[in-house]
Amino acid sequence: MRTLARRSRGTGPLAVVAATLLGLLLLLAPAASAAGGLSDAAATLKKGQVYVAPTMLDRFSQAQADALTKKIEKADKPIFIAVVPDSANKDTILTDLRTLVGIDGVYGVWRGTGGFLAHADRGAMGVGAAERISGAVARADKGDINATLNDFVDQAAPQTKGTGVNHSTSIAWVVIPVVLLALAGAGVFFLFRRAKKRKEEQARAELEQLRRVVDEDITAYGVELERLDFDPRAADADDVQRTDYSHALDSYEKAKRLMDEAKKPEDVKVVTETIEDGRFALATLSARRDKRPLPERRPPCFMDPRHGPSVKDVDWAPAGGSARSVPVCQADADRVAAGLDPAVRTVDTEYGPQPYWNAGPAYAPYAGGYYSGFGGGLLPGLLVGTVLGSMMSSGPAYAAAPMMEGGGHHGYQDQYEGGDFTGADFNAGDFSGGDWSGGGDFGGGGGDW
């Protein structure tokens, strides 16, 4: 499509595009016919976004389906849920439904006793995100259909792009040929260009959102650096202290420079890595000056990385989530021990202030820079059940950072690789990639039940 679009400059090439599209439709027609057993489900999904096969109403009632429908409509997101019996073809059910519904979105299917599956169009959600969310909620809710589907919608909605379906004007399969022909030629080119522009605008908006937050972190670090009031020329300053101070100061200047040079949200990761490294140098210098034991190399305080390196792990549960062991500073450890809320880092979102771990996928590089250097399994374990936790994996994007000079991270990384945060709560299959356009495990012909 993109190659043809670039060449389309006259009526001849436009005719070729139109003929190609018509041929594609003729090839797709048999598959649509073969999926006739899914037509009722597809028709229902285009009207209400939730379908329950009659044979499954004893396990997921109409009242539960209605409540889930209202939740999806309130979220105003293109999310489609189907509850079908075991006889549905596991290998083709998601692709068949997506083909017949004909709407870009996120698709989830509960299949009899076979559990929950999900997948999403690339334009609706990041690659692999739907699988990660479905795997996490399925394991958490252990066979409870209603809880699994509601948890999936709750976590998928904030990450789903686009708006809900206008049911009175949804595009039906029978009019797809007309739409495809209308998009032929120059129209297709402009649509691709507009989609690229929207993606670039979204990246710029996310970067500016992150820029405000990271600038606050850099400023807070600078205040701590100034508050230490270290004079390298003082009589009681030795070379080791001057080295720590130089490291901390260089990290401060480097973080400012890297943030100024950032061009996309992913560039923020190296900035927060630099801040974390500088704060540890600052903590080490402070300990040397006060004749205290040198601090252990630990991750930043999970509640707010601006609190500096953590001093211990405590059991803590976010609102509505399960308990997990998290690294915290002494002040937050005291608050949790006293039954008080910790001082959580919140950021502005369209829904009001939210903890950074629930503020959307833009904050993945922000958290990744602070924590991924302490073992690939640490961050997913800390974030399980949160918006970021549902999308993070131990893949290349958030792999452990290189060890600091002298092996600074090594001890804490060893503690968590093979420990509670090895990623045991995550299924490697949940983080597999794939998209509708790529075929892969979702290829195949029509299905029926």
Side-chain angles (χ1 to χ4, degrees), residues 119-196:
H119 201 68
D121 289 281
R122 180 177 294 181
M125 184 178 285
V127 174
E131 289 86 344
R132 293 194 288 271
I133 298 173
S134 64
V137 299
R139 288 189 296 277
D141 296 319
K142 302 185 186 304
D144 186 330
I145 300 180
N146 189 48
T148 298
L149 298 184
N150 276 276
D151 286 350
F152 177 78
V153 171
D154 289 341
Q155 293 198 37
Q159 299 184 48
T160 302
K161 304 171 187 176
T163 57
V165 180
N166 183 342
H167 303 299
S168 62
T169 59
S170 295
I171 300 175
W173 176 253
V174 295
V175 302
I176 288 180
V178 177
V179 176
L180 289 176
L181 288 175
L183 295 177
V188 174
F189 171 77
F190 285 115
L191 285 177
F192 277 117
R193 189 172 69 175
R194 187 170 66 178
K196 181 180 178 181

Side-chain angles (χ1 to χ4, degrees), residues 255-270:
K256 291 194 297 182
R257 174 177 57 80
L258 290 173
M259 197 63 239
D260 288 341
E261 295 172 352
K263 297 294 189 292
K264 54 187 182 298
E266 292 81 1
D267 296 340
V268 169
K269 184 174 184 286
V270 69

Side-chain angles (χ1 to χ4, degrees), residues 43-340:
T44 301
L45 290 177
K46 286 187 282 188
K47 295 177 181 178
Q49 294 180 248
V50 176
Y51 169 80
V52 185
T55 56
M56 293 296 292
L57 286 171
D58 60 331
R59 295 192 59 195
F60 188 69
S61 69
Q62 187 61 52
Q64 291 172 324
D66 292 342
L68 185 61
T69 300
K70 290 180 180 178
K71 175 178 287 192
I72 295 174
E73 290 177 351
K74 183 177 180 181
D76 194 29
K77 298 293 183 180
I79 299 175
F80 304 88
I81 302 293
V83 180
V84 301
D86 281 319
S87 55
N89 190 324
K90 177 182 178 181
D91 295 330
T92 63
I93 179 66
L94 285 167
T95 301
D96 293 341
L97 274 179
R98 168 62 181 87
T99 300
L100 292 176
V101 173
I103 300 172
D104 278 4
V106 178
Y107 290 77
V109 173
W110 183 282
R111 178 177 163 273
T113 59
F116 186 58
L117 306 169
H119 201 68
D121 289 281
R122 180 177 294 181
M125 184 178 285
V127 174
E131 289 86 344
R132 293 194 288 271
I133 298 173
S134 64
V137 299
R139 288 189 296 277
D141 296 319
K142 302 185 186 304
D144 186 330
I145 300 180
N146 189 48
T148 298
L149 298 184
N150 276 276
D151 286 350
F152 177 78
V153 171
D154 289 341
Q155 293 198 37
Q159 299 184 48
T160 302
K161 304 171 187 176
T163 57
V165 180
N166 183 342
H167 303 299
S168 62
T169 59
S170 295
I171 300 175
W173 176 253
V174 295
V175 302
I176 288 180
V178 177
V179 176
L180 289 176
L181 288 175
L183 295 177
V188 174
F189 171 77
F190 285 115
L191 285 177
F192 277 117
R193 189 172 69 175
R194 187 170 66 178
K196 181 180 178 181
K197 183 179 179 181
R198 281 200 302 265
K199 185 177 181 179
E200 292 172 348
E201 290 174 349
Q202 180 182 355
R204 284 194 294 269
E206 289 180 349
L207 178 60
E208 289 310 306
Q209 182 183 16
L210 285 169
R211 191 182 300 279
R212 291 192 296 270
V213 172
V214 177
D215 282 347
E216 291 174 0
D217 286 19
I218 295 174
T219 299
Y221 174 37
V223 170
E224 291 299 319
L225 189 62
E226 184 176 355
R227 183 179 299 162
L228 190 62
D229 194 25
F230 176 74
D231 184 357
R233 298 166 296 181
D236 61 343
D238 57 31
D239 288 343
V240 178
Q241 292 177 2
R242 281 189 281 270
T243 298
D244 289 336
Y245 179 73
S246 177
H247 190 161
L249 186 61
D250 288 347
S251 295
Y252 175 63
E253 297 298 335
K254 179 181 178 182
K256 291 194 297 182
R257 174 177 57 80
L258 290 173
M259 197 63 239
D260 288 341
E261 295 172 352
K263 297 294 189 292
K264 54 187 182 298
E266 292 81 1
D267 296 340
V268 169
K269 184 174 184 286
V270 69
V271 182
T272 52
E273 283 178 346
T274 302
I275 297 173
E276 183 278 322
D277 185 36
R279 278 195 173 276
F280 179 73
L282 202 59
T284 302
L285 174 59
S286 178
R288 292 189 200 278
R289 296 186 70 198
D290 296 340
K291 304 296 190 293
R292 291 181 282 107
L294 297 184
E296 176 189 358
R297 191 61 185 261
R298 291 177 54 89
C301 176
F302 177 69
M303 305 305 175
D304 188 341
R306 294 176 300 179
H307 296 170
S310 60
V311 299
K312 64 172 63 176
D313 297 337
V314 300
D315 289 334
W316 174 79
S322 57
R324 78 287 313 274
S325 182
V326 297
V328 296
C329 64
Q330 188 61 55
D332 279 325
D334 294 341
R335 292 186 186 99
V336 172
L340 303 175

Side-chain angles (χ1 to χ4, degrees), residues 132 135-137 139-140 155 302 316-326 357-358 377-392 420-421 423-426 431:
R132 293 194 288 271
V137 299
R139 288 189 296 277
Q155 293 198 37
F302 177 69
W316 174 79
S322 57
R324 78 287 313 274
S325 182
V326 297
W357 55 75
N358 275 340
L378 172 63
L379 192 53
L382 295 177
L383 295 172
V384 64
T386 68
V387 171
L388 284 186
S390 67
M391 62 169 289
M392 275 209 171
D420 292 341
F421 295 125
D425 290 338
F426 290 78
F431 298 107

